[in-house]
Amino acid sequence: MESNRQKKIAGILQKDLAEVIQLELKAAGTQNLIISVTKVKVTPDLLQAKAHLSIFPSEKSEEIVEEIRTKKSKIKHEVAQRTKNQLRRMPELAFFNDDSIEYINDLEQAFKGKNDPIKNPDLLDKRKKN
């Protein structure tokens, strides 16, 4: 169970990460993307944070997550500058692709009857867990 401190730090990081990532990708010339930080989980020792990113359009999601991972140190520095009055030490960041929206869309298509997963169970992929 997360402590109140973990939840507070996760909320601060989620807000600041969303802003910084948008600015970094805009500066790199990446356009026509919507990126949101859906969830941030912080370890109990507050030294590591896992950020789950939802990217639209999803065709470029893995490519964008890799680009963000290469800019991790710059993003960490910018977030640390924004949170320097609230955190003693900036946690190490790890970025993951959040594919829950794609999964929900696949389920909706299945319920609409276009693809019946009961008749053909191979239509729905197993969901990846990170």
Side-chain angles (χ1 to χ4, degrees):
M1 189 167 107
E2 283 187 318
S3 68
N4 286 338
R5 181 79 177 141
Q6 283 175 279
K7 291 176 186 175
K8 182 178 178 183
I9 290 174
I12 292 168
L13 289 175
Q14 184 173 1
K15 181 176 113 357
D16 288 336
L17 271 173
E19 294 171 6
V20 170
I21 288 172
Q22 287 286 351
L23 290 174
E24 282 297 317
L25 290 177
K26 195 176 286 185
T30 307
Q31 296 178 346
N32 301 328
L33 277 179
I34 298 173
I35 298 179
S36 60
V37 181
T38 55
K39 181 170 50 168
V40 175
K41 295 208 54 128
V42 181
T43 57
D45 60 1
L46 308 176
L47 294 178
Q48 295 178 343
K50 293 180 180 179
H52 296 269
L53 307 174
S54 179
I55 300 169
F56 183 82
S58 60
E59 294 84 37
K60 300 179 181 179
S61 60
E62 288 300 324
E63 173 185 322
I64 297 298
V65 170
E66 282 303 316
E67 184 178 344
I68 290 170
R69 285 180 184 149
T70 60
K71 298 178 185 223
K72 180 168 67 170
S73 61
K74 190 172 183 181
I75 292 170
K76 180 182 174 184
H77 177 72
E78 185 63 35
V79 173
Q81 292 299 313
R82 291 174 181 231
T83 60
K84 65 183 174 188
N85 295 329
Q86 298 163 337
L87 298 175
R88 287 186 192 158
R89 184 170 178 196
M90 179 67 191
E92 280 297 317
L93 299 173
F95 297 103
F96 299 96
N97 185 22
D98 185 6
D99 64 345
S100 59
I101 293 177
E102 292 175 45
Y103 187 73
I104 290 170
N105 286 336
D106 290 344
L107 286 177
E108 283 181 355
Q109 293 298 321
F111 286 133
K112 288 181 181 176
K114 295 181 179 177
N115 297 321
D116 190 359
I118 294 173
K119 293 179 183 173
N120 187 1
D122 296 329
L123 290 174
L124 291 177
D125 296 330
K126 299 287 185 214
R127 184 153 182 234
K128 297 176 273 187
K129 298 223 176 195
N130 291 331

